[in-house]
């Protein structure tokens, strides 16, 4: 029987068959997807569903709640959320703006009109930020989901630090193996998410609010649906963040953001300034240096502190020069840095300064706001304090993302079913207040770094896993992450292809993958 999920709608009694799919690991590079699916362990149970008092959700005979959940986005975070909710028995409807899964890993050759700080908010937008030559900055074994390891090739790219096409193939294989595409509406733009307070006060206290989600497919007529919960997984690598610098608006050179970088074409013989020296800044500077005359890489902080005092040219051509942060741009085309040095002629400035968290579909009454990339108030960087049936997957950065998405998603899915306890309002408010106290102007952490984790990710992952009563991450992941970081700082140009000293961690990883394959 069909279940109506509108507010106040009657819920019928039905008998459903729920299939929970086990993990899959490929045992050969060129195995077909059908053979991977055949190797999965399957467990089928019959569950009697009964009416519930909380609106559209329903409850099974062991007291588990089965909710109707909207997932916004079908990149890695969205796919992890769909998978976790399906395993827990929820009904999932996912909305994806593009025509395929993969999110930021989908390569798009198109770019936006780009004038740096002066870019128009009304410009035609391109979601993707991937450049043609991008390779992962983490080994594939470390990147993969726990129940779907990423140690073997899904195409022709067998490198440990593979190209973006290989990651996209992996995500498509993950979606197909677990039947996740069937839950996704493609070319669907979510235009609004509005809170609906439940008429039943007890249900509101127990499960929080419902949500009205409006969407349109290919720009067509808007459709409104009601859900018991919303999981936001729309990523945060599509809206360029451009800091303001003195004189930038009147500087005559070309200004672009790395969001719109695809290839080094057009940089031949130029003097190019890149602002920002995280992963994209370091990588793009080297690629541009292969055709440019001179490349200046400017940053406030560096991955290796020793690089801050470097004065010699680096890179294969020796034409990349590290510079401190920019102080100002001048109308004559020159650029001054904070150490007082001046570069007289700069042709192009590229901002490798990251992205803005953006949730244009959330109405103001949801109780969550974004201030300088700080999304608040949230419990554990994930759950809306004022409406815990609204959650966000994948806000933390400087992390190993896919395994964290998996852990967060499992926790959310189990909270929505009642298998894991919903945090008390007191605990959520306390967490949000403590985080706020560490941020400027109260503490010393810039607000835009509120969700920056680094080494804190491992304790966070363990804590979230324990709250869902689920498996945590094995220690080899942290060991491999540390080894990769050391290699990257010592050998920034070659770390992807040489010098890795993680043999012990790699052996432990392969042992874990073998166990996953036999489950």
């Amino acid at each position: 029987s069909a279940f109506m999920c509108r507010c106040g709608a009657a819920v019928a009694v039905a008998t459903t068959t729920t299939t929970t799919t086990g993990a899959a690991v490929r045992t050969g590079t060129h195995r077909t997807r059908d053979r991977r699916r055949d190797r999965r362990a399957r467990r089928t149970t019959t569950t009697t569903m009964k009416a519930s008092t909380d609106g559209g959700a329903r409850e099974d005979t062991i007291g588990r709640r089965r909710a109707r959940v909207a997932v916004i986005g079908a990149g890695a975070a969205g796919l992890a959320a769909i998978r976790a909710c399906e395993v827990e028995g929820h009904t999932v409807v996912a909305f994806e703006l593009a025509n395929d899964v993969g999110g930021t890993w989908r390569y798009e050759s198109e770019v936006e009109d780009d004038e740096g700080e002066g870019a128009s908010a009304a410009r035609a937008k391109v979601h993707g930020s991937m450049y043609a030559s991008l390779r992962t900055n983490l080994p594939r074994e470390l990147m993969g989901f726990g129940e779907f390891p990423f140690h073997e090739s899904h195409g022709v790219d067998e490198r440990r630090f593979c190209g973006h096409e290989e990651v996209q193939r992996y995500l498509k294989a993950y979606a197909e193996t677990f039947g996740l595409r069937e839950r996704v509406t493609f070319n669907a733009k979510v235009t609004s998410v509005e809170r609906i307070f439940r008429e039943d006060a007890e249900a509101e206290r127990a499960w929080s609010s419902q949500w009205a989600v409006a969407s349109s497919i290919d720009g067509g007529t808007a459709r409104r649906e009601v859900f018991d919960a919303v999981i936001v997984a729309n990523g945060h690598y599509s809206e360029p963040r451009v800091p303001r610098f003195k004189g930038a608006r009147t500087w005559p050179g070309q200004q672009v953001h790395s969001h719109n970088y695809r290839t080094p074409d057009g940089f031949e013989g130029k003097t190019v300034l890149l602002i920002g020296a995280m992963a994209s800044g370091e990588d793009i500077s080297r690629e541009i240096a292969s055709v440019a005359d001179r490349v200046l890489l400017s940053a406030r902080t560096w991955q290796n502190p020793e690089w801050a005092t470097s004065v010699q040219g680096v890179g294969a051509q020796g034409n990349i020069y590290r510079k401190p942060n920019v102080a100002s741009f001048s109308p004559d085309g020159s650029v001054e840095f904070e150490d007082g040095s001046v570069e007289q002629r700069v042709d192009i400035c590229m901002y490798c300064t990251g992205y803005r968290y953006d949730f244009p579909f959330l109405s103001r009454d949801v109780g969550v706001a974004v201030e300088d990339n700080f999304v608040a108030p949230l419990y554990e960087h994930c759950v809306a304090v004022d409406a815990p049936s609204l959650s966000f997957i994948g806000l933390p950065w400087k992390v190993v993302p896919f395994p964290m998405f998996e852990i967060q998603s499992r926790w959310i899915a189990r909270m929505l079913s009642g298998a894991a306890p919903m945090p008390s309002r007191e605990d959520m408010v306390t967490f949000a207040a403590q985080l706020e106290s560490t941020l400027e102007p109260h503490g010393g952490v810039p607000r835009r770094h509120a969700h920056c984790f680094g080494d804190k990710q491992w304790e966070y992952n363990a804590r979230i896993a324990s709250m869902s009563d689920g498996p945590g991450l094995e220690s080899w992941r942290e060991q491999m992450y540390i080894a990769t970081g050391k290699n990257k700082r010592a050998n920034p140009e070659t770390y992807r292809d040489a010098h890795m000293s993680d043999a012990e961690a790699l052996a432990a990883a392969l042992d874990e993958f073998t166990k996953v394959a036999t489950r």
Side-chain angles (χ1 to χ4, degrees), residues 5-33:
C5 291
R6 307 296 182 188
C7 288
V11 182
V13 177
T15 298
T16 65
T17 298
T18 304
T19 300
T20 302
T21 306
V25 179
R26 297 175 62 184
T27 58
T29 299
H30 302 293
R31 302 295 190 195
T32 65
R33 287 169 182 158

Side-chain angles (χ1 to χ4, degrees), residues 263-281:
T263 70
D265 296 343
F267 293 88
E268 293 86 349
K270 305 289 188 181
T271 296
V272 183
L273 166 66
L274 291 90
I275 300 178
M278 296 300 286
S280 61

Side-chain angles (χ1 to χ4, degrees), residues 142 458 471-479 508-509 512 515 519:
L142 180 57
W458 309 108
L473 299 179
E474 297 294 335
S475 60
W476 65 262
R477 289 188 185 263
E478 182 175 2
Q479 295 167 12
E512 178 185 321
K515 294 176 182 177
R519 289 174 190 166

Side-chain angles (χ1 to χ4, degrees), residues 207-280:
W207 301 112
S208 183
S209 301
Q210 291 183 305
W211 303 89
V213 177
S215 64
S216 63
I217 300 175
D218 290 324
T221 303
R223 177 184 179 184
R224 185 176 182 271
E225 302 173 81
V226 174
F227 296 88
D228 298 299
V230 171
I231 298 176
V232 179
N234 66 328
H236 47 85
Y237 294 105
S238 60
E239 283 292 327
R241 176 183 175 275
V242 181
R244 295 183 177 182
F245 289 97
K246 179 181 178 181
R249 286 189 175 275
T250 57
W251 186 67
Q254 181 183 358
Q255 298 182 59
V256 299
H257 191 279
S258 59
H259 171 64
N260 292 312
Y261 176 77
R262 298 295 182 267
T263 70
D265 296 343
F267 293 88
E268 293 86 349
K270 305 289 188 181
T271 296
V272 183
L273 166 66
L274 291 90
I275 300 178
M278 296 300 286
S280 61

Side-chain angles (χ1 to χ4, degrees), residues 382-405:
C382 197
V383 177
V385 169
D386 294 327
S389 54
L390 172 67
S391 57
F392 299 77
I393 302 297
L395 293 184
W397 54 280
K398 205 172 182 181
V399 298
V400 182
F402 295 4
M404 180 179 286
F405 298 163

Side-chain angles (χ1 to χ4, degrees), residues 481-493:
Y481 178 82
I482 293 171
T484 301
K486 290 180 178 178
N487 191 18
K488 187 188 305 182
R489 290 186 290 274
N491 305 286
E493 297 175 35

